[in-house]
């Protein structure tokens, strides 16, 4: 180290010692966005150890506001959004981001109301949690250059940053679990206007199309009442019409509970006669007998990722939008035969 200190320290010296590229060192030392905080602090430490004069101005992070669809947050999916909020709060605290949360009915997600919410919170950035912006809101957000992150949401035209579970690949994997267990006629119970759920439908259809001889049927849900009760009713009706279907992939675990109750009341053995895979790994998946096979979503990680996206957006408001998808993990359960 003394030999290095005897001459002028170059960025190349820092790069060699830190084990990164010279361009990465340059971006960190000029405070460019897009570098993880761990790498940034590592390079600052190496540069300081080598005697390089490092100027780290204390970063003032603007405030952000999270708006959550009240129907989702106070209804059956409240437990899903609790995990996301936990991640948002923790991530904001770690990064020193002033942060506030408000519930809002989707009917009120119009520019005038959003502007009022942002002003009242003193916030520059906006998290839309479980909310797909309307065309009117999208245009206003773009025109006003408001930093936006869609949480548990995607923008099909990639105009805004977003983070979500890997809905397409998760649904594909869930359906393949049923196919790999020998099922060739599979129901998919689903229903929503949201882009995330439409991606699950596409994943289901892609998995069905991947194996010759497979047939899938979309069973629509309206969610005018209890998700489980409606799933129970439509499952009974679907199997009364055609008993050749032997499995179901459900858009979430609440729906899967209704399917499980229906097929067991019809005298079918689970999983021998009928197999079921849910999605989200909600607490209710642990309460059924047999336990639901499902797909785990790390909801807290989604919240933390959203904070990271907003921090990067504050640093560079002209950067291209990014969509981050978190993998979902298969969870074994008694509604599916043991997987090899």
């Amino acid at each position: 180290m003394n030999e290095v200190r005897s001459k002028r320290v170059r960025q190349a010296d820092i790069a060699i010692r830190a084990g990164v590229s010279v361009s990465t060192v340059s971006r960190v030392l000029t405070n460019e966005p897009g570098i993880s905080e761990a790498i940034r602090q590592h390079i600052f430490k190496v540069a300081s150890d080598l005697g390089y004069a490092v100027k780290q101005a204390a970063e003032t992070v603007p405030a952000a506001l999270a708006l959550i669809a009240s129907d989702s947050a106070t209804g059956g999916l409240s437990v899903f959004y609790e995990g996301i909020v936990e991640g948002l709060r923790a991530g904001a605290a770690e990064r020193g981001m002033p942060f506030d949360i408000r519930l809002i009915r989707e009917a009120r997600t119009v520019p005038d109301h959003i502007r009022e919410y942002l002003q009242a919170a003193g916030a520059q950035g906006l998290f839309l949690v479980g909310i797909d912006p309307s065309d009117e809101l999208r245009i206003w957000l773009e025109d006003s250059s408001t930093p936006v992150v869609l949480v548990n949401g995607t923008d099909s035209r990639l105009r805004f940053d977003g983070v979500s579970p890997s809905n397409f690949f998760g649904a594909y994997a869930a359906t393949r679990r049923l196919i790999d267990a020998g099922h060739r006629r599979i129901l998919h119970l689903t229903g929503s206007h949201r882009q995330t759920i439409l991606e699950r439908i596409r994943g289901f259809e892609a998995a069905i199309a991947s194996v010759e001889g497979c047939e899938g049927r979309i069973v629509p849900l309206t969610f005018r009442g209890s998700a489980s009760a409606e799933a129970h009713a439509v499952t009974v009706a679907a199997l009364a019409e055609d008993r050749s279907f032997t499995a179901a992939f459900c858009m979430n675990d609440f729906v899967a509970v209704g399917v499980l109750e229906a097929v067991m009341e019809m005298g079918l053995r689970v999983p021998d006669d009928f197999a079921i895979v849910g999605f989200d790994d909600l607490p209710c998946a642990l309460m059924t007998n047999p336990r639901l096979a499902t797909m785990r979503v790390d909801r807290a990680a989604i919240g933390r990722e959203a904070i990271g996206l907003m921090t990067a957006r504050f640093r560079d408001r002209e950067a291209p939008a990014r969509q981050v998808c978190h993998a979902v993990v298969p969870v074994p359960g008694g509604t599916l035969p043991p997987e090899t």
Side-chain angles (χ1 to χ4, degrees), residues 6-81:
S6 66
K7 62 181 182 180
R8 180 174 176 270
V9 178
R10 303 168 303 160
Q11 291 187 1
D13 300 320
I14 299 171
I16 292 170
R17 180 67 62 85
V20 300
S21 67
V22 176
S23 64
T24 299
V25 172
S26 176
R27 292 174 65 193
V28 168
L29 297 180
T30 55
N31 289 314
E32 290 187 24
I35 305 293
S36 75
E37 193 60 26
I39 293 295
R40 189 180 298 276
Q41 293 303 321
H42 174 58
I43 290 174
F44 280 140
K45 184 179 185 305
V46 169
S48 179
D49 289 346
L50 292 176
Y52 189 94
V54 177
K55 295 182 180 179
Q56 289 192 67
E59 183 180 18
T60 300
V61 182
L65 172 68
L67 295 180
I68 305 178
S70 57
D71 289 347
S72 297
T74 60
L77 286 175
S78 60
V79 66
F80 183 91
Y81 284 102

Side-chain angles (χ1 to χ4, degrees), residues 251-268:
M251 64 172 282
N252 64 37
D253 294 331
F254 294 126
V255 171
V257 168
V259 175
L260 176 60
E261 292 173 340
V263 298
M264 293 184 73
E265 289 174 13
M266 295 175 72
L268 298 176

Side-chain angles (χ1 to χ4, degrees), residues 213-253:
C214 274
E215 180 180 344
R217 175 181 168 188
I218 303 294
V219 181
L221 300 170
T222 63
F223 296 109
R224 292 189 181 125
S226 162
S228 294
E230 185 181 3
H232 181 287
V234 299
T235 300
V236 170
L239 294 181
E241 178 183 335
D242 188 344
R243 287 291 287 263
S244 67
F245 286 93
T246 61
F249 164 50
C250 304
M251 64 172 282
N252 64 37
D253 294 331

Side-chain angles (χ1 to χ4, degrees), residues 59-66 92-93 95-101 121-125 127 307 310 314:
E59 183 180 18
T60 300
V61 182
L65 172 68
R95 295 173 182 266
M97 178 186 294
F99 179 74
D100 202 359
I101 297 175
Q124 293 186 32
F127 297 99
I307 295 293
M310 184 63 77
F314 281 148

Side-chain angles (χ1 to χ4, degrees), residues 6-328:
S6 66
K7 62 181 182 180
R8 180 174 176 270
V9 178
R10 303 168 303 160
Q11 291 187 1
D13 300 320
I14 299 171
I16 292 170
R17 180 67 62 85
V20 300
S21 67
V22 176
S23 64
T24 299
V25 172
S26 176
R27 292 174 65 193
V28 168
L29 297 180
T30 55
N31 289 314
E32 290 187 24
I35 305 293
S36 75
E37 193 60 26
I39 293 295
R40 189 180 298 276
Q41 293 303 321
H42 174 58
I43 290 174
F44 280 140
K45 184 179 185 305
V46 169
S48 179
D49 289 346
L50 292 176
Y52 189 94
V54 177
K55 295 182 180 179
Q56 289 192 67
E59 183 180 18
T60 300
V61 182
L65 172 68
L67 295 180
I68 305 178
S70 57
D71 289 347
S72 297
T74 60
L77 286 175
S78 60
V79 66
F80 183 91
Y81 284 102
E82 285 171 8
I84 289 179
V85 168
E86 175 189 338
L88 285 167
R89 289 191 186 279
E94 290 167 1
R95 295 173 182 266
M97 178 186 294
F99 179 74
D100 202 359
I101 297 175
R102 292 285 186 275
L103 293 177
I104 186 171
R105 290 185 296 108
E106 285 206 56
R108 289 179 60 83
T109 55
V110 296
D112 287 346
H113 292 310
I114 300 299
R115 186 187 300 110
E116 291 173 4
Y117 276 117
L118 287 169
Q119 290 174 350
Q124 293 186 32
L126 178 66
F127 297 99
L128 292 176
V129 185
I131 297 171
D132 295 330
S134 65
D135 287 341
E136 179 189 19
L137 179 57
R138 173 186 57 78
I139 291 169
W140 178 79
L141 291 169
E142 289 182 299
D143 289 346
S144 63
S145 299
T146 301
V148 178
V149 175
L150 305 181
V151 188
N152 191 40
T154 60
D155 177 10
S156 59
R157 291 175 57 186
L158 205 57
R159 294 155 294 194
F160 305 116
D161 296 317
V163 56
S164 66
S166 185
N167 291 292
F168 175 90
F169 294 106
Y172 184 95
T175 307
R176 282 304 307 240
R177 294 172 72 185
L178 295 166
I179 293 172
D180 293 344
H183 298 277
R184 293 296 180 268
R185 290 176 62 77
I186 304 171
L187 303 173
H188 179 38
L189 284 79
T190 185
S192 174
H193 65 284
R194 298 211 61 227
Q195 183 70 24
T196 52
I197 302 305
L198 297 178
E199 289 176 5
R200 293 183 192 181
I201 293 174
R202 288 194 287 270
F204 168 75
E205 293 174 335
I208 293 295
S210 71
V211 176
E212 186 175 356
C214 274
E215 180 180 344
R217 175 181 168 188
I218 303 294
V219 181
L221 300 170
T222 63
F223 296 109
R224 292 189 181 125
S226 162
S228 294
E230 185 181 3
H232 181 287
V234 299
T235 300
V236 170
L239 294 181
E241 178 183 335
D242 188 344
R243 287 291 287 263
S244 67
F245 286 93
T246 61
F249 164 50
C250 304
M251 64 172 282
N252 64 37
D253 294 331
F254 294 126
V255 171
V257 168
V259 175
L260 176 60
E261 292 173 340
V263 298
M264 293 184 73
E265 289 174 13
M266 295 175 72
L268 298 176
R269 296 170 301 161
V270 178
D272 297 334
D273 300 327
F274 200 93
I276 305 165
V277 175
F279 207 97
D280 292 336
D281 194 26
L282 300 173
C284 64
L286 288 168
M287 302 176 190
T288 60
N289 184 15
R291 186 204 191 285
L292 282 176
T294 185
M295 306 294 291
R296 177 170 297 140
V297 173
D298 190 337
R299 301 180 285 279
I302 288 174
R304 288 178 181 271
E305 188 77 58
I307 295 293
L309 286 172
M310 184 63 77
T311 302
R313 179 57 53 192
F314 281 148
R315 287 176 177 158
D316 186 356
R317 305 198 181 198
E318 301 302 320
R322 290 188 292 162
Q323 177 67 42
V324 179
C325 292
H326 276 241
V328 295

